[in-house]
């Protein structure tokens, strides 16, 4: 019998019911974890005067790669839960969560206790073992079915998701002795050389001449914009069959790759949720062709969808899983790969990194795990996600500008079009909506193949009051922007 670590939670398989949580822990509704219940704009302009000063200083001192303040101009003073306060006293509802990093909210007091305690004892210790690290590894592996836990290992990488992707690609190449990688249309995997090479947005690398070679892209299961012009009625997962075609046709021009890399739900590509059966078919095709499968769970993982991993609703497991973002709980940088022992082919020092497994970030991960379990955050995420999707359908179903509303858990996208018949993307209206929402105190990001998708990634501790207040702003702006365009019922 496996010896139980005294610091390990009793079980991640039997969370408390919502009724038990609400009865025993009133804070499970999370009011006390937020700076306030909604937005508050007090300055005469957005940005306010003090923010303008700091933004000007930033432009003069910091490099031109700074991007987010260009579209959401503010200088931040503090943040807690799902509320961000700028230096002018304005409060914004944060439905961006630092690009999906702040899964249990800004400055979560519960997690900060773990962080502060760890900072007093040990901060940096390369890859030496600590109780802190072993605890987090056990918690991650505990998310696997019991029969698979002994078959997987965890390796910490550098501090970002890109580092995890680089490590996963390297391990696949090391194991197979092959070079190629297959990625998907709409993919985003990071900004380092290998991760960027597997990212489909051509603009990001159009001026670069030294990308990782032998990367090929195939269609993802994007049902709203099916490249094979199929509908739900006649879809036979042609996108997956196309992958089989290019792998098995000797005249496809593609040599057998080392890895197939994909997001179980695409993030930057527009919160694209694949058709049921797609992931299973991709993995099965890979197995038939002896190719390593990497699932990128960097943004869709750590309970973002209501499950620890987004792929958990499928009936397959990949060879390698990449994680980062939410794993640090409240924004601490950390990344890891979780992989089947069968693909482990490298030895000591074959992949290293000075900042792999920072002890404070690991402590934050442990705190986030325990918080999720104690407050039944997974169930809460599913409930709030279903509520938010239903509200969005009520508000926007008849909008002439909304082509599709989709999501799982608190990973939600609203796609805008010029007209519903042609589905011509409308990035201009999305930019206008974001600008107007920001001026009223709602923060979110945009994405999609054509930058025509509003992407909502609120902290998983968001409650109905915050959702209602955010969607009140969103609805008002949508009505204003589409004024004069007939709503169709």
């Amino acid at each position: 019998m496996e010896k139980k670590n005294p610091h390990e939670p009793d079980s991640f398989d039997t969370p408390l019911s919502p009724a038990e949580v609400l009865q025993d822990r009133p804070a499970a509704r999370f009011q006390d974890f937020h700076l306030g219940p909604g937005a508050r704009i007090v300055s005469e302009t957005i940005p306010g005067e003090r923010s303008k000063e700091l933004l000007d200083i930033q432009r003069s001192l910091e490099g031109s790669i700074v991007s987010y303040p260009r579209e959401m101009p503010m200088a931040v003073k503090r943040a807690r839960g799902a509320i961000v306060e700028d230096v002018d006293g304005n409060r914004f509802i944060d439905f961006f969560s630092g690009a999906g990093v702040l899964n249990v909210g800004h400055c979560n007091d519960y997690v900060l206790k773990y962080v502060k305690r760890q900072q007093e004892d040990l901060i940096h210790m390369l890859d030496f073992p600590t109780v802190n690290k072993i605890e987090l590894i056990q918690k991650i592996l505990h998310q696997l079915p019991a029969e698979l836990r002994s078959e997987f290992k965890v390796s910490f990488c550098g501090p970002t998701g890109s580092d995890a992707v680089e490590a996963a690609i390297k391990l696949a190449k090391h194991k197979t002795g092959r070079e190629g990688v297959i990625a998907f249309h709409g993919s985003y995997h990071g900004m380092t050389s290998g991760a960027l090479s597997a990212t489909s947005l051509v603009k990001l690398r159009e001026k670069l001449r030294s990308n990782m070679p032998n990367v090929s892209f195939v269609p993802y299961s994007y049902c709203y914009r099916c490249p094979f012009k199929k509908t739900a009625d006649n879809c036979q997962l042609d996108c997956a069959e196309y992958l089989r075609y290019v792998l098995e046709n000797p005249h496809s021009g593609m040599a057998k790759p080392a890895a197939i890399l994909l997001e179980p739900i695409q993030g930057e590509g527009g919160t694209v949720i694949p058709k049921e059966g797609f992931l299973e078919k991709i993995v099965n095709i890979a197995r038939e062709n002896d190719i390593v499968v990497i699932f990128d769970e960097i943004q869709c993982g750590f309970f973002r969808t209501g499950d620890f991993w987004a792929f958990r609703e499928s009936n397959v497991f990949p060879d390698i899983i990449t994680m980062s973002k939410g794993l640090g709980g409240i924004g601490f940088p950390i990344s890891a790969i979780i992989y089947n022992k069968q693909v482990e082919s490298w030895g000591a020092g074959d992949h290293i990194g000075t900042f792999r497994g920072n002890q404070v970030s690991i402590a934050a991960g442990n705190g986030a795990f325990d918080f999720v379990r104690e407050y039944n955050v997974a169930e809460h995420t599913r409930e709030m996600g279903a509520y938010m999707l239903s509200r969005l359908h009520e508000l926007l179903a008849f909008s002439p500008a909304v082509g599709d509303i989709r999501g799982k858990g608190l990973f939600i996208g609203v796609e805008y079009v010029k007209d519903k018949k042609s589905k011509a993307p409308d990035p201009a209206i999305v930019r206008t909506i974001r600008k107007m929402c920001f001026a009223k105190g709602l923060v979110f990001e945009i994405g999609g193949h054509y930058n025509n998708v509003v992407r909502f990634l609120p902290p998983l501790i968001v409650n109905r009051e915050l959702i209602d207040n955010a969607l009140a702003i969103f609805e008002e702006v949508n009505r204003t922007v589409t004024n004069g365009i007939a709503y169709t019922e």
Side-chain angles (χ1 to χ4, degrees), residues 130-413:
T130 64
V131 171
N132 183 36
K133 181 196 285 189
I134 298 303
E135 285 182 10
L136 185 57
I137 291 173
Q138 289 178 326
K139 288 170 183 174
I140 293 171
L141 293 178
H142 211 101
Q143 298 303 310
L144 294 160
E147 66 274 14
L148 292 181
R149 289 171 194 165
S150 64
E151 297 181 16
F152 280 75
K153 284 186 174 182
V154 174
S155 286
F156 292 101
C157 310
T160 73
S162 295
D163 295 308
V165 171
E166 297 286 349
I169 292 173
K170 181 191 285 188
L171 179 56
K173 290 183 175 183
H174 200 281
K175 173 63 178 178
T176 63
R178 300 191 292 267
E179 284 295 314
V181 174
I182 292 179
F184 288 78
H185 301 163
S187 62
Y188 179 83
H189 298 291
M191 297 298 286
T192 53
S193 180
L196 179 59
S197 299
T199 294
S200 63
L201 183 57
V202 176
K203 178 183 177 182
L204 294 175
R205 57 176 188 274
E206 61 186 358
K207 294 185 178 181
L208 303 177
R209 297 292 180 265
S210 58
N211 296 305
M212 181 178 71
N214 301 319
V215 178
S216 303
F217 293 91
V218 296
Y220 193 78
S221 176
Y222 186 4
C223 296
Y224 184 69
R225 295 188 181 278
C226 176
F228 300 95
K229 308 300 181 184
K230 295 298 182 69
T231 65
D233 295 332
N234 60 15
C235 171
Q236 298 296 319
L237 290 173
D238 304 69
C239 44
E241 284 301 324
Y242 181 78
L243 172 65
R244 185 192 302 278
Y245 169 79
V246 297
L247 287 173
E248 299 179 359
N249 183 341
H251 277 271
S252 70
M254 183 186 297
K256 181 183 288 190
I260 294 172
L261 170 62
L262 74 158
E263 300 156 88
I265 295 177
Q266 288 190 337
E268 306 300 323
T271 317
V272 179
I273 302 171
K275 182 179 175 65
E276 183 177 351
F278 174 75
L279 296 179
E280 289 89 339
K281 200 158 193 176
I282 294 297
V283 171
N284 290 336
I285 291 170
R287 297 277 186 266
E288 293 166 10
N289 288 274
D290 189 32
I291 300 169
V292 173
V293 178
I294 305 168
F295 279 176
D296 183 342
E297 289 269 353
I298 289 166
Q299 188 169 111
C300 59
F302 205 82
F303 304 102
R304 170 58 55 187
T305 64
D307 279 308
F308 182 68
W309 288 307
F311 75 83
R312 282 289 296 271
E313 289 191 6
S314 70
N315 295 314
V316 290
F317 273 79
D319 301 296
I320 307 174
I321 305 163
T322 64
M323 293 196 74
S324 185
K325 289 188 183 287
L327 186 60
I330 56 175
F332 281 88
I334 187 172
S335 74
I337 58 172
I338 300 90
Y339 58 91
N340 194 298
K341 292 177 182 179
Q342 292 183 359
V343 301
E344 185 169 53
S345 61
W346 51 22
D350 283 343
H351 188 73
I352 58 177
T354 304
F355 292 101
R356 55 177 171 172
N358 175 274
Q359 293 297 319
V360 178
S361 294
I362 287 173
N366 274 313
F369 255 116
D370 291 352
F371 179 83
V372 166
R373 176 179 179 272
E374 184 169 345
Y375 289 94
N376 202 14
V377 172
E379 179 65 24
H380 179 82
T381 299
R382 290 189 286 270
E383 290 180 356
M384 292 301 98
Y387 176 70
M388 190 167 170
L389 278 171
S390 68
R391 293 278 287 113
L392 284 167
H393 279 289
E394 290 173 6
L395 299 177
L396 302 175
F398 305 121
S399 169
V402 174
D404 194 28
I405 302 169
R406 50 186 179 257
K408 184 169 291 187
L410 288 168
F411 201 33
I412 295 172

Side-chain angles (χ1 to χ4, degrees), residues 454-469:
V454 166
R455 301 187 60 233
F456 289 127
L457 294 90
L460 307 184
I461 59 172
V462 69
N463 54 28
R464 287 195 179 212
E465 184 176 21
L466 277 161
I467 289 173
D468 287 342
N469 289 336

